[in-house]
Amino acid sequence: MTPAVTQAPDAPVRGGGASGHPTVAITPFPPSPPFRFWSSRPDQLLCLALLAAITVVQGVNVGGFPSFSDDEGTYLSQAWAIQQGEGLAHYEYWYDHPPLGWLQIALLTWLPALLVPESMTVGSVRGAMLCVTLVTAVLLYVLARRVALPRWAAALTVGLFGLSPLSVELHREIFLDNIAVAWILAAFVLAASPSRHLWHHFAAGMCAAVAVLSKETILLALPALMFTMWRHSHRDTRKFAVAGALTSCVLIGLMYPLYALLNGELVPGEGHVSLWDGVVYQLSRPGSGSVFVDGSPANEVLDSWLYYDKVLPVAGLAAALLLAVCHRWSVTARAAAGPAFAVVLLASVAAFRSSGYLPDMYVIQALPFLALCLAAVAAAVHGLLRRHLHRAVAAVASGLLFAAGAAYTVPHWYEGARTAMTADPNAGFRAAARWFDPATGHVPDPARTRVLVDDALWMDLVHAGYRPGTGAIWFYKADLDPAVQATLPGGWRDIDYIVATPTVRRDAKDLPTTADTLEHSEPVAVFGEGEQRIEIRRVGGTGAAGGGAR
């Protein structure tokens, strides 16, 4: 009897052999059957268990750790401005980022803000980011299964993604990158759809466009998305699939420059901001240097990532490189080549763009792909052991490898999770917000008081009755916004208080008005110690009105 031949779904029929009969391409590892999440009860239950674990680790003490950042406050304040009908930002929108990211934050927080307006603060709104993380985890699980990972490897992917201390630290924060990652994963899930419908591929392009309009740097993952679509689409329709995805992505992406054009703000001109100036600023920001140079800002950012976790960034990158180089060694490796390509692209830009700016949150975009690549290599190694060793020996070898990895990872991750669930570096922020509450009597008339503050506390002051924009003043705007400068003709003399957070003290050297305000002020209340202390300083005062040092 002639042995059966396994043919890949898209395997071409090749030229006839010596017998005159056509031969077909043979794949040694037949692909797994199509995965459909909604019809698989075991996958649903496993995913729910993973979501429960992530909810506990990432949800407990979400407002206490990590420390509030000025970026979080900025995105939240911009979302609040949209809810209030004040435009696209709490100050003049100047095309620094596409606004779709904080538009989504405004939608996520619309009902809580309507019912309890004072809930629109950084600590409270972080709960909305937990919802984004859970949706992202489900999408990642589905993607892992669609790229042929077995159930246990898909669970490992989500566990790595959701429980890494680096993930816990960054996913809690109100960053546009977290929203963009959810959309790009939705695009990958559609691109790897087992049904291969063209509308899935069009929808993938649409999701990719929303991801880019949420945070523009996710654009780097688009080539990997198209590669994934090419690999998973049918050979008879893949050109249409890729062309359709690109078309839908471009058409939706063009809505951003179209908005600027309709507002007369596409190109620079007298008396208005422009999209062109915003793009030029982002491309010409002071560089962070090379990640390979000790002491450079980029190297410090890399060190901060590795401080929280070395397993996911280092092992995940190694796994991605292995998959990229040896993608033909198994079906799993071939199917995961797209996510590996995304990691390589994102890592290459971070490593070799020495003249550019490397933000702290950049790694968020790579985290799900790092987790998937690491799990894919684990699944491929397990498969190789089972094919070349006796089943019992393979099971023992796989168990030993897993135990070795867990022995190194679990203690480090346990400490990271414990810190995230118990530490509270934001107590000083909350104390400073309470100090400005009119009920304390420290500031008799908030409506006529001007306070320089970073955006992490801007919303707290607005809720306390300080005028948005000109009473509660985001400290950057005192130097960089002509409209705000016009309300401060006397410079620091027109300011009553300044809240000296670590961000304000760090950036004051480049902002003359902020620096002068710090120099001509005295502390009336201090919360915390050392570099992380928060000082409430009265301009030109003696400190008699303060609440004393804390």
Side-chain angles (χ1 to χ4, degrees):
M1 180 180 294
T2 303
V5 176
T6 302
Q7 182 176 353
D10 297 335
V13 177
R14 298 178 180 168
S19 63
H21 298 289
T23 60
V24 296
I26 297 176
T27 175
F29 312 119
S32 302
F35 167 74
R36 290 178 174 83
F37 181 75
W38 299 115
S39 60
S40 175
R41 183 59 60 85
D43 285 286
Q44 294 172 11
L45 294 176
L46 180 56
C47 198
L48 283 174
L50 291 165
L51 295 182
I54 292 173
T55 300
V56 171
V57 174
Q58 296 210 19
V60 174
N61 193 39
V62 67
F65 181 89
S67 182
F68 296 152
S69 74
D70 191 64
D71 285 330
E72 289 185 275
T74 299
Y75 301 140
L76 178 61
S77 300
Q78 291 168 323
W80 173 85
I82 291 172
Q83 292 175 345
Q84 300 299 312
E86 300 293 333
L88 292 178
H90 55 319
Y91 290 93
E92 183 179 21
Y93 174 60
W94 60 283
Y95 298 93
D96 53 332
H97 293 296
L100 188 55
W102 57 86
L103 271 166
Q104 293 171 78
I105 295 174
L107 288 173
L108 284 171
T109 58
W110 174 78
L111 187 59
L114 183 65
L115 298 176
V116 188
E118 61 271 18
S119 68
M120 284 292 284
T121 61
V122 173
S124 300
V125 173
R126 278 184 174 180
M129 301 313 297
L130 176 60
C131 299
V132 174
T133 298
L134 295 178
V135 171
T136 304
V138 173
L139 290 169
L140 183 58
Y141 185 92
V142 175
L143 177 60
R145 295 289 277 142
R146 285 191 173 180
V147 297
L149 265 64
R151 189 173 292 127
W152 67 266
L156 178 61
T157 300
V158 175
L160 291 168
F161 168 76
L163 302 179
S164 163
L166 180 60
S167 298
V168 173
E169 193 259 343
L170 291 173
H171 290 162
R172 290 181 171 201
E173 299 187 73
I174 308 171
F175 288 149
L176 304 182
D177 305 72
N178 287 315
I179 296 173
V181 164
W183 283 106
I184 200 67
L185 283 179
F188 271 86
V189 167
L190 290 165
S193 171
S195 58
R196 299 175 173 180
H197 290 309
L198 286 177
W199 78 264
H200 286 171
H201 302 137
F202 278 78
M206 296 170 66
C207 289
V210 174
V212 173
L213 293 178
S214 299
K215 187 60 182 289
E216 64 276 14
T217 50
I218 202 71
L219 182 72
L220 295 169
L222 293 193
L225 173 66
M226 297 304 159
F227 177 76
T228 299
M229 187 177 299
W230 183 271
R231 294 292 298 269
H232 287 264
S233 58
H234 194 280
R235 65 186 178 91
D236 292 337
T237 58
R238 60 171 48 119
K239 291 182 180 179
F240 297 100
V242 174
L246 286 172
T247 300
S248 61
C249 182
V250 170
L251 287 178
I252 293 178
L254 285 175
M255 294 177 65
Y256 186 41
L258 179 61
Y259 169 83
L261 178 64
L262 293 176
N263 281 311
E265 297 173 341
L266 181 62
V267 295
E270 185 176 355
H272 68 79
V273 297
S274 72
L275 174 59
W276 179 263
D277 285 336
V279 172
V280 169
Y281 166 77
Q282 292 292 3
L283 295 177
S284 61
R285 296 179 71 174
S288 299
S290 172
V291 295
F292 303 111
V293 177
D294 289 341
S296 68
N299 183 260
E300 292 177 355
V301 169
L302 177 61
D303 287 342
S304 71
W305 297 341
L306 299 180
Y307 170 80
Y308 285 102
D309 182 26
K310 295 181 176 66
V311 175
L312 191 55
V314 176
L317 178 58
L321 293 173
L322 183 62
L323 290 173
V325 174
C326 307
H327 63 277
R328 296 184 181 275
W329 68 334
S330 73
V331 168
T332 300
R334 287 197 296 273
F341 187 22
V343 171
V344 171
L345 287 172
L346 292 165
S348 298
V349 171
F352 300 112
R353 189 188 171 196
S354 59
S355 61
Y357 171 67
L358 183 65
D360 292 344
M361 66 286 292
Y362 179 80
V363 73
I364 291 175
Q365 301 173 28
L367 290 176
F369 302 114
L370 289 167
L372 194 149
C373 289
L374 190 52
V377 168
V381 170
H382 176 69
L384 287 175
L385 290 175
R386 291 190 63 183
R387 280 190 290 274
H388 295 286
L389 299 176
H390 187 274
R391 182 179 296 270
V393 177
V396 171
S398 297
L400 290 175
L401 288 174
F402 179 82
Y408 175 81
T409 302
V410 171
H412 293 82
W413 285 22
Y414 171 79
E415 288 300 319
R418 188 171 65 85
T419 299
M421 297 170 71
T422 57
D424 189 11
N426 294 318
F429 283 94
R430 293 193 296 272
R434 286 194 299 270
W435 192 93
F436 280 102
D437 192 312
T440 64
H442 295 139
V443 182
D445 190 1
R448 300 181 62 183
T449 303
R450 293 176 173 177
V451 185
L452 280 191
V453 65
D454 80 24
D455 258 359
L457 284 168
W458 192 86
M459 285 299 309
D460 295 270
L461 266 64
V462 170
H463 292 317
Y466 297 79
R467 296 188 313 277
T470 56
I473 305 173
W474 185 20
F475 73 102
Y476 286 112
K477 297 299 181 177
D479 286 283
L480 303 178
D481 191 326
V484 175
Q485 289 178 317
T487 68
L488 303 172
W492 64 268
R493 297 175 182 82
D494 294 327
I495 298 168
D496 300 301
Y497 292 91
I498 181 171
V499 183
T501 63
T503 300
V504 171
R505 290 192 296 270
R506 181 195 66 200
D507 294 345
K509 61 182 183 297
D510 300 317
L511 302 169
T513 301
T514 301
D516 289 343
T517 305
L518 284 174
E519 182 180 354
H520 295 91
S521 62
E522 296 182 359
V524 295
V526 180
F527 306 100
E529 301 176 347
E531 291 297 321
Q532 298 304 310
R533 73 188 185 281
I534 296 176
E535 299 176 344
I536 298 175
R537 303 176 66 94
R538 190 168 64 185
V539 180
T542 63
R550 305 288 176 87

